[in-house]
Amino acid sequence: MLEALVFLPLLGFLAAGIGNRAIGDFAAKLVTTGFLFVSALLAWVIFFRQWGGEGAYTVTLAEWFTSGTLSVSWALHVDMLVAVMLVVITTVSALVHLYSWAYMADDPSQPRFFAYLSLFTFAMLMLVTADSIVQMFFGWEGVGLASYLLIGFWYRKPSAWNAAIKAFVVNRVGDFGFSLGIFGLFLVFGTLDIGAILAAVPAHKGTTFDFLGSEVDALTTIAILLFIGAMGKSAQLGLHTWLPDAMEGPTPVSALIHAATMVTAGVFLVCRMSPLFEAAPAALALVTFVGAATALFAATVATTQHDIKRVIAYSTCSQLGYMFFAAGVGAYGAAMFHLFTHAFFKALLFLGAGSVIHAMHHEQDMRFYGGLRRHIPLTFAAMTIGTLAITGVFYTAGYYSKDGVLFAAYARSTEPALVAFSVGLFAAFLTSFYSWRLVFLTFFGEPRWAGSPHIAHAHAHDAHAEAGHGAHGHGADPTAGYHPHESPPSMLVPLVLLSAGALFAGLLFHQAFIGAGEAFWAGSLVHDPAFYAKLHEVPALVHWAPAIAMGLGLLLALRQYVLKPGAAEDFVRTLPTLHRFLYRKWYFDELYDWLFVRPAKRIGRLLWTGGDQGLIDRLGPDGLAGLVGAGAAVARRFQSGYLYFYAMMMLVGLAAAMTWLALKG
């Protein structure tokens, strides 16, 4: 069963990728989507079996390699932690495959797209089921490759392939830290088997080694290096810059990679290695601070963005910060619970945004939306449910998981934990504000479609569009004669199913994930039932604080974008510097461009013109070629074709030979 679950997406990738146009669009979509739904069904079976007490097990597939004392096998490991990830990955991927049937219907390269989706899913499954850290790294790099292909799927767009390259390069920075962590694990533990490493952690507490010329605590250093890898994949502050640009890929890619799967790989890594992190308090404090800083940073930036997908992308970045600071305070179950529920409502929001973009002729700027709830009511309902869940409205999925994260930070009561609680509470207020801002700008108010370049171009023949373009508010038709349409069933069915998850996943699973019982997470991550019991004993003010923050954010968004239209523009005019700072994403891109990109280009240009062309080519291939050419030019002078010239040369040669013999004698 487990082997089929993992390798069916690989078979789908091979069928669609190799078959491509030979099997046609329909067959490629049918095979890949069918295999993913089978994998999703098997994942739910494994999940409920683990919940029922089946226990962890490992399936060895083959020996991979042996080098000295290092021996690595291909093996698939399953416990409760892995089972949760299997459900998240395969369920979201199957629904994304189904959604893409209609969303990508007009694309000429559908088999390639569905092949890439299945390849990504296979790599992610290899990552989470890995029994050794080397096999996990294989899946880790496979996910990076597949994400590069998916982000740059529309490779003829410069913005798409630039975003793909940026994602690939930034992730390599984190992956370098991860690889150093792998070397450190083998140096200290003598094995790369995850189970053996975690079992040996207590015996290696206090171990030191030389790192960069200093004697450092081994477990702390290794944990920090692994976390650097997690920062890259999960877009934490400092290595986050690739995530918003990755929105250049098709919207189903955003839902798959940046909502539920790839970006959660870092959270999974920290939770999988939780015994190691528990033995490294300094590393846990770093995880807490970075997670809290990311939650705050991304939430502030999301309040100013106009692109609907970028708002949701920064929301993802912020929610990942919640997951990390939950892990940082030792609430690994709460981190995984928020990962689980977040997969439903964030995939719902991304796919809902795709439905809006589909209805609005590929327009993504919310300033050109408005009044859409009457035209696409099912999409409006789905997006509203996703917003209710992410903002933590009572009894939705986000209410249980995000509040659980905040309560865990408060209950831990250490200085880093209390900082994370305070920052997380403010981020919850901002989350509510920017999420409802998205809903109000998109679905409420008067239509602002006439200002959209996409719609105006599509309806340039319409006289209303000609008059309305750029003339909104002066008697022109604000709709530009355009009539948005609801999405087809293959796009709406995933929205309905994800809406059910966004509403009920928290209610159904919160006792298992963050309850005081020991059975659910037994043996798969560090779980302290006594600590989780404290989550239900927080003071009343702390208990109600997330709801108050959510309500304040809703009221502010309602005032700014519904009750007093234009108030947001007044705020921008009042505090232009602050708005510019947030809109430009705290100037991280500009800073990195100045620190790294421009110097790298200058060095590359110097090595190219001075080193490669000026030195290597000049003295190497070009120089040798020039020398041969010069010699040939001299030789040509002796090939005149005149008999007397050849006779003279013979006499000169004979004289030279006689002279040499005479001198030698």
Side-chain angles (χ1 to χ4, degrees), residues 197-511:
I197 290 172
L198 299 182
V201 165
H204 288 84
K205 284 186 177 180
T207 302
T208 61
F209 58 29
D210 182 76
F211 183 72
L212 299 179
S214 301
E215 199 71 17
V216 295
D217 183 78
L219 298 187
T220 299
T221 304
I222 293 170
I224 291 174
L225 290 172
L226 294 179
F227 177 59
I228 291 173
M231 287 176 63
K233 275 290 181 289
S234 295
Q236 294 300 282
L237 189 64
L239 296 178
H240 67 280
T241 52
W242 66 271
L243 184 65
D245 289 0
M247 296 303 104
E248 289 293 336
T251 300
V253 173
S254 304
L256 179 64
I257 295 181
H258 312 115
T261 49
M262 174 176 164
V263 292
T264 61
V267 180
F268 170 78
L269 173 64
V270 173
C271 292
R272 187 85 167 91
M273 306 299 290
S274 56
L276 174 66
F277 279 86
E278 283 294 302
L284 278 183
L286 177 64
V287 173
T288 305
F289 282 125
V290 170
T294 304
L296 177 63
F297 157 76
T300 58
V301 174
T303 61
T304 62
Q305 300 302 302
H306 303 302
D307 187 308
I308 187 171
K309 287 174 63 177
R310 282 184 176 266
V311 173
I312 303 174
Y314 278 109
S315 172
T316 299
C317 193
S318 181
Q319 298 305 307
L320 289 166
Y322 277 92
M323 298 173 206
F324 272 108
F325 78 66
V329 301
Y332 304 100
M336 288 303 301
F337 186 35
H338 197 47
L339 184 156
F340 181 75
T341 62
H342 176 264
F344 291 103
F345 57 72
K346 188 51 63 68
L348 174 62
L349 288 170
F350 266 119
L351 295 185
S355 185
V356 172
I357 295 167
H358 182 265
M360 291 299 292
H361 209 280
H362 305 292
E363 178 59 70
Q364 296 183 199
D365 194 324
M366 296 185 297
R367 291 173 294 183
F368 302 131
Y369 290 168
L372 288 177
R373 70 185 187 279
R374 296 184 294 272
H375 300 271
I376 47 174
L378 295 178
T379 299
F380 166 61
M383 291 286 284
T384 302
I385 289 172
T387 302
L388 292 172
I390 194 174
T391 57
V393 173
F394 296 114
Y395 307 114
T396 61
Y399 164 73
Y400 290 100
S401 62
K402 188 160 69 175
D403 287 15
V405 168
L406 292 171
F407 296 162
Y410 181 85
R412 184 60 71 186
S413 296
T414 62
E415 183 177 348
L418 292 177
V419 169
F421 170 76
S422 303
V423 170
L425 201 59
F426 182 63
F429 160 74
L430 294 176
T431 300
S432 180
F433 172 75
Y434 68 67
S435 298
W436 289 111
R437 169 180 176 263
L438 184 153
V439 171
F440 295 147
L441 282 175
T442 303
F443 297 104
F444 289 82
E446 294 300 319
R448 301 181 298 276
W449 317 335
S452 167
H454 294 78
I455 293 175
H457 176 73
H459 295 268
H461 63 278
D462 192 316
H464 288 296
E466 293 289 343
H469 183 65
H472 178 54
H474 297 280
D477 179 7
T479 69
Y482 184 69
H483 302 286
H485 53 283
E486 189 61 272
S487 299
S490 64
M491 293 174 65
L492 294 177
V493 169
L495 296 183
V496 172
L497 296 176
L498 290 170
S499 295
L503 287 174
F504 303 117
L507 181 65
L508 294 175
F509 297 106
H510 75 279
Q511 283 296 337

Side-chain angles (χ1 to χ4, degrees), residues 90-108:
T90 57
T91 301
V92 173
S93 182
L95 294 176
V96 166
H97 274 72
L98 178 60
Y99 181 93
S100 300
W101 277 55
Y103 192 88
M104 302 296 291
D106 297 328
D107 196 280

